[in-house]
Each structure stands twice: as C-alpha cells, then as structure tokens.
Amino acid sequence: MSARVLAPFAALLLLGAAPAPPRVTVPGGTVEGASVEDGALVFQGIPYAAPPLAQLRWTAPQPVRAWQGVRPAKVRAPACPQNDDGWNRTDAAHYSEDCLTLDIRTPGLRGKRPVMVWIHGGSNRAGSAGGMVASRITREGVVLVAIQYRLGVLGFLAPRQAAVNGTAGNYGLMDQIAALRWVRANIARFGGDPDQVTLFGESAGSQDVSLMLAAPDARDLFKRAILQSGTPGFGQPFRPLRDAFAIADQAERLAGGQGLAGLRGAPVKQLLKIDTKLSDPSLHTNGFLWLKTTIDGRVLPESPRRLLAKAPRKPVIIGTNRAEFGPKDGATDITETLQRVYGPRAAEAQRLYAFGTPGRDPRLGHPALEIETDWVFRCPAITLATQLVRQGWPVWSYEFDLAPDGGLTSHAIEIPYVMDARPIGDGASLQDYWVNFALRGDPNGGALPRWPAFSADARRYLAITPKGVEAAEKLRTEICALRNEI
C-alpha cells in the first residue's frame, strides 16, 4: 500500500491516541501523573522532603533528594508508620518511613486557581493523605492538595538529645510547614495560585490547621483556614517541654536505654510497639497522647493562645458535629466525669446538663457522649471562635447534625459531605460553602442559605440538621461558659 494511501489511516490513529500522561518538573526531578474520569489530573506521592530515616529521625525535614528519570505518581503512596487501630487498617498495612509526600488533583496545569490543602486526622498517630484526591471538588475551580506528615512517636516525641537550641518535638508540625512551603513554591506548575491557599482538616488535622494559624513559621504560607472538629488543645492544657522530655525518656528506656542513638537505630516496628506503652499521667486516656499540644519552643515558641493573639488575622470557619465521640453509654461514672472536667464547677455543670429530665435533646446522645463532645470539641471551638472575633478575625461557625441513616452524627461524618458534595438540604452542600470560602474568603454565595458571621455576643452559627440549613445563635452558651480552654 502506498504512502499516499496510508497517510489518512495514520492521521486517524493519531487522533484516537490517548493523550500523553501529564508530567511536571518539581524539586528533585520530574513526576508523571494520570488523567482521571472528569478530565482532572492527579499526582500521588510527590516528595516534599527527604525520607526522615536513621539520623534524620527526630530532626527538621530536609530538602528533597533528586531522583533519576521520571518518577511515577499514579498510585497511592505509603502512609507514615502507624499502629493498626481498626479504622486505619489499610494505612497500617502499607506504610513506610519514606512518607513525606503529598497528592495533588487539579483541573489542569495552566491557570491560577485557589488551592485547598487537606491535613488528615487520626489523633496525630494514624491516617494518611491516601484517597483524598479521589474527590471531584476540583470541578468547582480549585486545586486540591493532601499532605502527609510524621505521626505518633516518630512525629511528636521530643528526645532531649535531639534538642536544637533547647527545643525539640513537633516534627510532624515541621513537616506540615515544609509541605506548605513546597506548595507555595511549586503549586503554580499545577495550575494553582500560591497566594490563595486555604488550609482545611478534620480532628487532629483540624487541630494542626489551628496550630498553623498560630505557628510563626507558617503564617505567610496560607490565607484562610477551615477547622472541622479540632482546636489547638482539644480542651486540654498545653504540655510544657519538660513533660514532653519525660515522655521521650520513657521511650528511650523501652528501646534499651541507649538514648537517642538507640531510638534512631531501632526498627520501626519496635518504635510502634513502644508508642503503645507511653503514658502521660495528666491524661485520662492515652488516646490523647499526641493530641496534647507540646510548647516545643521552636514551632510553638509559646502557647497557641498567646501566639494567636499576635497572629495576622485570617478568615476562618470553625465547627463541630452534634455528637462527636465518647465512652459507651454506662461505661463511666457521670458524677466523676463532671468532677474531672468541670472541677469546682461540677455541681453547676450537673444542674445545667439536667440528665434524666424531660425535654432533653436526644440528638446529643447519651450523657457521657454529650459531656465529651462539649468538653473536647464543642466548647473549645466556641471559645476559640470567640477569641478570634474579639481580635478582629472574620469567623463563621457551624454545627453539623446529619447522618446518612438518620441516626446520630459521629466524629468525621461530615467529611463525605465536603469531599463528595453530599446534599445537606435546601439545595446546598458543605462543599459549596467550603469552595466559596476558598474562592472569596466568605462561605456565602449564589443561592445557598445565608450563613451569618460569628460574633462574640450573638454567637451566630449555621445549624445543619435533618430539617434543613438555617442560622441559629448562642449554641451551648451556659455550659461552655464553665470552661475556657481551646
């Protein structure tokens, strides 16, 4: 067959060929992502720092190491090391210390779109970025980034011998700051605007977002923040560095008593076992071990409350779920719990809770669940919102009270409503509000039900309930007045 006859067939073959996979040059080399079903481009497992191995354990994140050739970025990257707590089984089965990576989903490599950076939850001891870039939130005109950071004993232990200028700990927070620096320097190559970055996260991720608001080194790296069920301290006092050192001393003894060298030489599985044996006598449960914020002297040179008082004002969304988590019904002594939480004001708290009286809202759950949601989540969020608006920050507050089966809410139940745009009633979704906020610094827009800004007096918030979406005010005013922790 002649070349003249073959030419049309060759042209047809070229027209039908799949487009080349997207490639982007970043610090370290070139990464190759994938095109997905809605036309978006996804890159997974891009390194933003060197693997924190051996002598780099318990040090600040170091620059990315260069690689040869094109690095595939098409599959889910390993999580950071963590124990299996059940809910995180996939991450616990697929982890690596070489985990300081981030994932990106973008509508295209050209353009200048607002960026939303997700920090995952998991008590700062579990979880990953894995799977978040499956969200189609990018159809709304934003670039989505999900970051990973060192967890548990590897991310938040404070060994004395690792101290630099007398400071140690919070390496997971240092990782987050390094990731935000990477985003600022490189996101334009993925169609993002480095000057329009919104941080958002849930639970420990929300706590970490709030700590990024406070941390001096992070202040210029993002413009807005969304806090979903997490505050700087989860209602607990902050941990002084001397107490963090004492926890690290426990770890060194459990590793064989060879100090920092012993910890750095220990297999990661041994460190994960050690993590389960560490304790903080100030906590009622060691599940909060890495949620008690350490004032390390470097990332957090003083308490978050004081740092926030000096921080530049940013628009913030702060909210919680109607029922978060707590002990099983009947598993705790309510009188003892009230005494532990409210101290000398326990009797006043008991009167306000009025357990067993007619008219109590069943959607608050059983008494222990109601108390823990107030103590750990709801009241700290209200206290933080009040502090920020008194300092002139634009703040919007919400309470989420929906569940797919019509039952009580629970911790993290709002995430699919954000990432998958599940409807919340009245033609709205949380995703709509979140994207509006990322685009303009205000969640309102279009035909969405009006969300009034929070104020220190009226304390207006958005109530998202089975009946719909509406503005409300003065959520839990009396009971939350009994505590002042953030």
Side-chain angles (χ1 to χ4, degrees), residues 426 433 449-452 461-465 467-473:
D426 301 317
Y433 284 116
R450 182 72 184 168
W451 186 347
Y461 67 98
L462 194 71
I464 303 157
T465 75
K467 297 178 181 178
V469 180
E470 63 180 0
E473 61 181 40

Side-chain angles (χ1 to χ4, degrees), residues 86-119:
W87 66 270
N88 63 323
R89 189 145 293 158
T90 298
D91 293 330
H94 182 48
Y95 67 69
S96 168
E97 282 192 81
D98 182 1
C99 64
L100 299 188
T101 63
L102 52 80
D103 300 343
I104 299 174
R105 183 185 182 103
T106 178
L109 301 181
R110 297 183 179 182
K112 201 172 182 181
R113 304 171 184 85
V115 181
M116 299 184 73
V117 178
W118 173 259
I119 303 181

Side-chain angles (χ1 to χ4, degrees), residues 70-400:
V70 176
R71 181 183 176 114
K74 300 179 180 180
V75 299
R76 182 169 177 158
C80 288
Q82 57 197 273
N83 287 298
D84 186 346
D85 292 332
W87 66 270
N88 63 323
R89 189 145 293 158
T90 298
D91 293 330
H94 182 48
Y95 67 69
S96 168
E97 282 192 81
D98 182 1
C99 64
L100 299 188
T101 63
L102 52 80
D103 300 343
I104 299 174
R105 183 185 182 103
T106 178
L109 301 181
R110 297 183 179 182
K112 201 172 182 181
R113 304 171 184 85
V115 181
M116 299 184 73
V117 178
W118 173 259
I119 303 181
H120 72 80
S123 299
N124 282 329
R125 69 192 315 158
S128 74
M132 296 311 294
V133 288
S135 169
R136 297 188 181 187
I137 194 171
T138 49
R139 290 181 300 183
E140 304 303 318
V142 299
V143 174
L144 175 64
V145 181
I147 68 175
Q148 300 197 146
Y149 53 98
R150 281 172 282 182
L151 301 168
V153 69
L154 287 162
F156 293 90
L157 196 73
R160 296 175 191 270
Q161 292 176 310
V164 176
N165 297 324
T167 72
N170 285 335
Y171 304 102
L173 298 181
M174 294 184 200
D175 294 343
Q176 293 170 20
I177 294 171
L180 290 174
R181 287 180 175 142
W182 189 99
V183 168
R184 183 160 188 82
N186 298 284
I187 203 62
R189 303 176 190 185
F190 296 86
D193 184 349
D195 293 322
Q196 295 289 335
V197 173
T198 296
L199 278 192
F200 69 134
E202 186 272 339
S203 192
S206 176
Q207 177 187 55
D208 296 344
V209 169
S210 75
L211 295 176
M212 293 299 102
L213 286 169
D217 287 347
R219 289 174 181 169
D220 296 332
L221 301 176
F222 65 102
K223 192 168 186 176
R224 308 176 182 105
I226 301 173
L227 283 62
Q228 298 171 214
S229 301
T231 55
F234 281 104
Q236 305 172 88
F238 302 115
R239 178 183 285 138
L241 188 55
R242 65 177 181 275
D243 291 353
F245 283 154
I247 294 170
D249 292 344
Q250 294 177 43
E252 291 179 3
R253 290 192 295 271
L254 290 166
Q258 298 178 32
L260 181 60
L263 288 174
R264 284 181 170 160
V268 68
K269 287 186 177 180
Q270 181 184 3
L271 294 175
L272 291 177
K273 289 181 180 178
I274 287 171
D275 200 338
T276 65
K277 298 175 182 178
L278 300 177
S279 64
D280 180 340
S282 73
L283 296 172
H284 76 290
T285 170
N286 279 326
F288 281 77
L289 185 66
W290 306 120
L291 291 176
K292 185 163 184 174
T293 299
T294 295
I295 311 305
D296 63 283
R298 180 178 179 179
V299 180
L300 301 173
E302 52 187 328
S303 83
R305 180 165 245 155
R306 292 179 179 176
L307 290 171
L308 287 168
K310 306 173 187 177
R313 296 187 292 271
K314 300 178 189 288
V316 177
I317 290 174
I318 303 174
T320 56
N321 297 342
R322 186 68 166 165
E324 294 274 4
F325 66 66
K328 292 182 179 179
D329 191 12
T332 58
D333 183 309
I334 296 302
T335 300
E336 186 277 330
T337 299
L338 289 172
Q339 184 64 47
R340 171 163 45 83
V341 174
Y342 294 101
R345 307 189 77 173
E348 189 176 355
Q350 190 159 23
R351 178 183 62 78
L352 290 172
Y353 279 114
F355 295 125
T357 59
R360 181 176 173 271
D361 184 354
R363 297 197 61 79
L364 291 167
H366 60 78
L369 175 57
E370 181 179 352
I371 294 170
E372 188 141 340
T373 296
D374 279 337
W375 162 40
V376 177
F377 297 99
R378 189 157 36 228
C379 294
I382 293 169
T383 302
L384 177 61
T386 302
Q387 175 185 340
L388 296 181
V389 297
R390 284 176 175 164
Q391 295 168 194
W393 296 46
V395 176
W396 289 265
S397 178
Y398 73 88
E399 185 177 68
F400 189 81

Side-chain angles (χ1 to χ4, degrees), residues 466-478:
K467 297 178 181 178
V469 180
E470 63 180 0
E473 61 181 40
K474 296 185 177 178
L475 177 65
R476 309 290 280 180
T477 301
E478 291 182 297

